[in-house]
Structure formats: structure tokens, C-alpha cells
Amino acid sequence: MKAHDGMYIDGAWRPAEGRDVIEVVNPADERVIGTVPAGTAEDVDAAVRAARAALPGWSATAPAERAARLAALRDVLAAREEEIAETVTAELGSPLAFSRTVHAGVPIAVADSYADLAATYAFEEKVGNSTVYHEPVGVVGAITPWNYPLHQIVAKAAPALAAGCTVVLKPAEDTPLTARLFAGAVDEAGLPAGVFNLVTGLGPVAGQALAEHPDVDLVSFTGSTAVGRRIGAIAGAAVKKVALELGGKSANVILPSADLARAVNVGVANVMSNSGQTCSAWTRMLVHRDQYEEAVALAATAAAKYGERIGPVVNAKQRARVRGYIEKGVAEGARLVAGGPESPRERGYFVSPTVLADVTPEMAVAQEEIFGPVLSVLRYDDEEDALRIANGTVYGLAGAVWAGDEAEAVAFARRMDTGQVDINGGRFNPLAPFGGYKQSGVGRELGAHGLTEYLQTKSLQF
């Protein structure tokens, strides 16, 4: 076990003597692998003051210079790719191959995209007799989740820095070691002191202090809808901007003309990815009743193959939550066709890849975010019924549509109340805006749309 003392504030690691510590646990074997200090409101205040002091100089830096600094940060992250992957595997439990390709590889690609955007974005434009300036919103308080620890940090910090904002990060307490690696990369890349600051700590203490701080101009949060509501209320009272990426219960709609086997297999893989701990996972599979039993059999067979391939969920509380949903689904009338609530291993927070059939739209497993490797398969009668079911939750983050004809899939997707839809297995695009409708959030991440979240607009008339 390694004790990680100090927090990264104003360009240096500051000692944190006298602070309580947060134990970091490897969810695969339940061993404590390290500790970090539990930051206080005083630590948050010091970080925000450093960010505020650094703001005038950083915001006045030419976009080309900000782009160069982001490119240097990208290069440091790329050089540390294996260390990042190993750290994520240790504190999240993700299989190392997945950590390399997704947990390390994707954030590096996102950082690269913002190095390019910082140099090419139109921060100034002519509109008739006006000049419109897109200026940094100010000090950003970034509160990130544990499920994609580096990606969520980069998806907030990179566009904020590209925009000319300064940042204070409060990472999830389950995965703070990856955040410390990012702060070290910032330091090695030579960003000016105070431009990026890190405070580790608990949400109700450090997170709330960051959201409430009067010198924070924007709060960017990814996590549960319940916490998002709380942050939105805090920010609303101060009339400060928020960017909220919240929960999801995404529908995977398989139309009758689709390649059923491919749609089901890809759909199961999507749900099992990252042990089901993905807000955009297609956790509701919608299949026409004429193809339903075939799809259920395919899904059960596909899920069984993931038994030894997925990692654990993040902690004991999350494991209990996922198991509880499986038990509740069966109690409400769902048919268990793969997996179940029993633990597949003696140690570690593992949950069996699970498929529930005969799920109806009103069941909890069809309405509430489970955040584990659990797929619900629902029947529909016709296309209108499928659309009603797909749109029939409080969420609207992501989804998928499969059809033999792409135009047919696009027509259906255009009627879905959700922020991002994959057509026939469309590939992830780090430049495409990501974010939700309804209670899945406010604002967008990634690409130019993600950069815009950290800007405010001023017009001068001539």
C-alpha cells in the first residue's frame, strides 16, 4: 500500500498533514492499494484562489499557445499510457487490455482533439456590423466519476483549458490515483501554476464546497441524476453555469429487418463493457415479438461468454445494488436466462453477466439505471410501440437502432428522445457531441460542442 500525501495546488504538491485519508481498494481482490488525503473546504478554497489568480494570464494566452500546451500534455499522457492503464486496472478492476485501449487510449485521443481545436476554433467572428467574441467562462469546478476516471477528467479539463479557463478538479474517491497521474502529467507538461488544481476528497465535503464556492463560475459534473439535481440547485441559487452529464437507460432498438444475430451480439457486448458501468450503455434491448425468443437465446449465449472476461464492479455497495436489481427484476416477473445475483467468485466485487427476459416497460429494471452487467430484453408489437417504449423513461442519454436499411434506422432514431444514437453499430467518434435529453443532463461534451460549454459570448457593435 502506498500513501499519497498532498494535493496539487498552484503548480505544486502541497502537504496535507492532519487530513483524514481515503483508502483506495482494488475491487478485484478487495486489497487496499493506497490512500489519498480527504480534502476539506479549506483545501478547495486554496485551489479556487489559485485558479482565480491564474485566470487573467491564462485567458489572455493566445489560442496557439494554449494549443501547444495541450499538445505537450497529450504527449506526456501518451508516454505514460501503460502506467495509466495499470493504475486504472488497480483501482477500478478493469481488465488490463480494456484499460489500455479505452481507459488510456480514448482520453489521449480526446486530448489530441482539443489541442487541434484550441488552434482552429473561431474565438472571434464577424456578424453584420458586430464582432462577436467567445471568451472563457472563468474558473471551472470539475467533479468527475469513477467509471471512466481519466476520460472524464480529460473530457472536462481539456476543453476548459483550450477555452482559456482554469480548473479545479475533485475526482471520485474510488479512483483518485488516476487523477493524481493526470495532475503529474500537467506538471510535467509545464502548464502555468494555478491553471489546473487537484483536490481529492469526499463528495459531500470537497465536492459540495467546490460547487458552492462563489469564485467558481461553472460546475461541470458527471454522475448520478440525484447528485446532478443537487448541484443544479446549488448553482441555480448563485446563477452560475452548469454542465451536467447524468444517468441513462438507453434503448437498443432492433427493427425486424435488422441482422438479428449481429445486433444482439453487439448489444450484449455494449452492456458488458466496463462491467456495465457505463452511463450510455444500451441496457434495454427492444425486439419485435416475432423474433423475441430467438433474440433472448442469442443474448443468453452471448452473455455467458463474458463470465471470465469482465472485471468487477467498483465496490461492495455497487455490487449489492446490482444484485438487488437482479433480484427485484425476478420478483417483478422477469425471467432469468443468464447470470443471476449470486457472486461468481469468492473474492472481489464481481457480478455475473446477467440477461433478464420477459421484462415489461414498467419494471424497475426497465426504468432505473442499474450500472452493472445486466441486460433487460423487452418485446414490442410494432414500430410505434417500440418508439413508445424507447422514449418511456426519464432518461435520454444514448441508444442504438438496427435495421436492414440505413434510412429506416435513421428515420426511427430521429424520433428518439436521446442525445446520441448509434446506427447499425456506428463507431465512437471523439469529435461528436455527447450529452443527454430530459434527466440525462444539461450541455454537451467532446468536440467543438464540448469546447463551447466553457465559453461565454460578447458582442461589440460598430
Side-chain angles (χ1 to χ4, degrees):
M1 183 183 77
K2 183 177 181 180
H4 299 270
D5 194 19
M7 304 182 200
Y8 189 73
I9 298 174
D10 202 19
W13 290 100
R14 292 193 178 184
E17 293 94 346
R19 303 290 190 270
D20 292 336
V21 298
I22 298 169
E23 291 186 336
V24 183
V25 176
N26 184 329
D29 58 19
E30 304 177 45
R31 290 185 303 109
V32 176
I33 58 172
T35 63
V36 297
T40 64
E42 290 74 20
D43 297 315
V44 170
D45 182 63
V48 173
R49 283 189 284 109
R52 178 61 62 184
L55 181 63
W58 182 248
S59 63
T61 301
E65 174 61 20
R66 297 200 296 267
R69 297 299 182 101
L70 282 168
L73 176 58
R74 172 207 62 209
D75 291 344
V76 174
L77 292 173
R80 296 185 177 186
E81 189 168 4
E82 186 66 15
E83 182 184 5
I84 292 166
E86 290 174 353
T87 302
V88 174
T89 290
E91 64 180 354
L92 183 61
S94 171
L96 187 57
F98 188 79
S99 292
R100 286 175 176 140
T101 57
V102 176
H103 287 296
V106 170
I108 292 168
V110 172
D112 184 60
S113 74
Y114 280 112
D116 289 340
L117 275 167
T120 60
Y121 190 86
F123 290 99
E124 177 183 335
E125 59 181 323
K126 286 287 189 180
V127 180
N129 64 304
S130 302
T131 300
V132 178
Y133 297 92
H134 302 284
E135 301 178 341
V137 72
V139 175
V140 172
I143 304 174
T144 56
W146 45 260
N147 60 324
Y148 289 91
L150 184 60
H151 171 64
Q152 294 292 348
I153 291 169
V154 172
K156 299 180 188 304
L161 296 173
C165 298
T166 55
V167 178
V168 177
L169 169 68
K170 204 298 286 185
E173 48 264 37
D174 289 289
T175 54
L177 305 183
T178 304
R180 290 181 63 89
L181 279 181
F182 181 80
V186 166
D187 193 69
E188 185 176 337
L191 270 72
V195 167
F196 174 86
N197 307 271
L198 168 68
V199 176
T200 53
L202 301 175
V205 180
Q208 181 153 334
L210 185 57
E212 290 178 339
H213 201 289
D215 271 341
V216 170
D217 300 295
L218 180 150
V219 181
S220 180
F221 168 78
T222 297
S224 72
T225 296
V227 176
R229 289 193 195 101
R230 172 64 179 154
I231 289 173
I234 291 170
V239 197
K240 70 173 66 174
K241 191 175 180 183
V242 294
L244 304 174
E245 197 266 280
L246 308 175
K249 195 68 185 176
S250 301
N252 179 16
V253 182
I254 305 175
L255 297 176
S257 63
D259 180 337
L260 183 65
R262 179 167 180 259
V264 170
N265 285 325
V266 174
V268 170
N270 176 277
V271 173
M272 302 307 160
S273 178
N274 208 40
S275 303
Q277 300 169 129
T278 303
C279 53
S280 57
W282 311 332
T283 51
R284 295 182 297 145
M285 182 179 288
L286 278 56
V287 185
H288 190 275
R289 65 172 52 256
D290 292 345
Q291 300 173 312
Y292 186 79
E293 291 302 334
E294 181 183 359
V296 167
L298 288 166
T301 299
K305 297 176 182 177
Y306 287 88
E308 298 298 322
R309 292 164 56 185
I310 66 172
V313 295
V314 71
N315 54 37
K317 181 180 178 181
Q318 186 64 20
R319 179 180 61 184
R321 170 187 169 87
V322 176
R323 287 175 173 175
Y325 270 110
I326 296 170
E327 291 168 349
K328 187 171 186 178
V330 172
E332 289 183 339
R335 172 168 44 114
L336 184 66
V337 298
E342 297 80 14
S343 179
R345 305 189 192 184
E346 290 186 5
R347 286 184 64 80
Y349 307 126
F350 290 89
V351 178
S352 295
T354 298
V355 177
L356 297 172
D358 299 338
V359 174
T360 56
E362 69 277 2
M363 291 181 182
V365 292
Q367 289 291 324
E368 299 173 18
E369 186 173 46
I370 299 172
F371 229 58
V374 181
L375 171 65
S376 297
V377 189
L378 295 87
R379 294 179 180 85
Y380 67 84
D381 293 325
D382 55 29
E383 193 170 297
E384 292 304 314
D385 190 37
L387 185 67
R388 176 187 63 81
I389 296 169
N391 289 339
T393 75
V394 298
Y395 299 111
L397 186 57
V401 182
W402 301 80
D405 178 63
E406 185 176 287
E408 179 187 7
V410 169
F412 189 96
R414 290 295 304 273
R415 297 201 289 162
M416 293 174 71
D417 297 334
T418 191
Q420 190 172 85
V421 184
D422 291 353
I423 303 298
N424 288 336
R427 293 179 294 108
F428 172 73
N429 179 3
L431 298 178
F434 178 75
Y437 288 21
K438 300 188 285 187
Q439 292 187 28
S440 284
V442 177
R444 293 294 181 268
E445 292 187 328
L446 303 181
H449 292 81
L451 177 57
T452 301
E453 293 293 329
Y454 298 94
L455 297 169
Q456 55 192 346
T457 304
K458 177 187 293 177
S459 64
L460 302 183
Q461 282 61 250
F462 296 89

